[in-house]
Amino acid sequence: TIRISSRDEPISEMSVWLGNKNNVKVYTKKDIYKTIPKAKKKYLKVKINYEGPIPAPIKKNQILGKLQVFFKDENIGTYDLLASENVKKTNIISRILNSVNFLIWGDV
């Protein structure tokens, strides 16, 4: 049995666009365990899917993406990834500067 994630414990971070924070931590609502033969552990893969950066504002517990668990290229589970905190929009001047910076340099 392999632990993929623990309930309410941050699993990763996602980029935020025009927010007062650059990243937001994400978590799953429940514990995720998978039981596979120990010799086949190398075939287990976990993938995080989301379209980012995520535009602010973000509310706590908002679904931001999916966590997918694969065993030998077969999807054995898909779970919602939820925001661990609120992220507000930056002020108007910062949003304008970030937008111009993105248009000129392509930075997020």
Side-chain angles (χ1 to χ4, degrees):
T1 301
I2 298 172
R3 179 176 61 107
I4 307 294
S5 81
S6 295
R7 181 174 61 112
D8 297 333
E9 189 175 296
I11 205 170
S12 183
E13 287 186 346
M14 295 182 178
S15 300
V16 176
W17 173 245
L18 300 177
N20 62 351
K21 296 182 180 181
N22 292 332
N23 297 307
V24 62
K25 292 181 182 179
V26 292
Y27 70 95
T28 56
K29 253 188 184 172
K30 60 182 182 177
D31 295 330
I32 301 171
Y33 291 93
K34 295 296 175 189
T35 303
I36 58 170
K38 190 172 186 177
K40 309 253 180 189
K41 185 177 172 181
K42 65 182 177 183
Y43 296 114
L44 186 69
K45 297 199 183 337
V46 177
K47 185 177 180 182
I48 293 177
N49 286 327
Y50 79 102
E51 290 187 29
I54 310 228
I58 298 171
K59 295 186 181 194
K60 186 174 182 178
N61 297 327
Q62 178 180 337
I63 297 172
L64 300 179
K66 299 287 183 187
L67 177 80
Q68 295 179 312
V69 181
F70 293 93
F71 182 69
K72 292 187 175 179
D73 297 328
E74 179 184 336
N75 188 338
I76 58 173
T78 301
Y79 307 92
D80 291 331
L81 289 173
L82 309 169
S84 63
E85 59 190 331
N86 292 321
V87 178
K88 295 179 182 178
K89 279 187 174 184
T90 58
N91 62 42
I92 187 72
I93 294 169
S94 293
R95 288 197 305 260
I96 290 171
L97 290 174
N98 286 338
S99 296
V100 169
N101 187 41
F102 178 74
L103 288 174
I104 294 172
W105 302 106
D107 293 337
V108 177

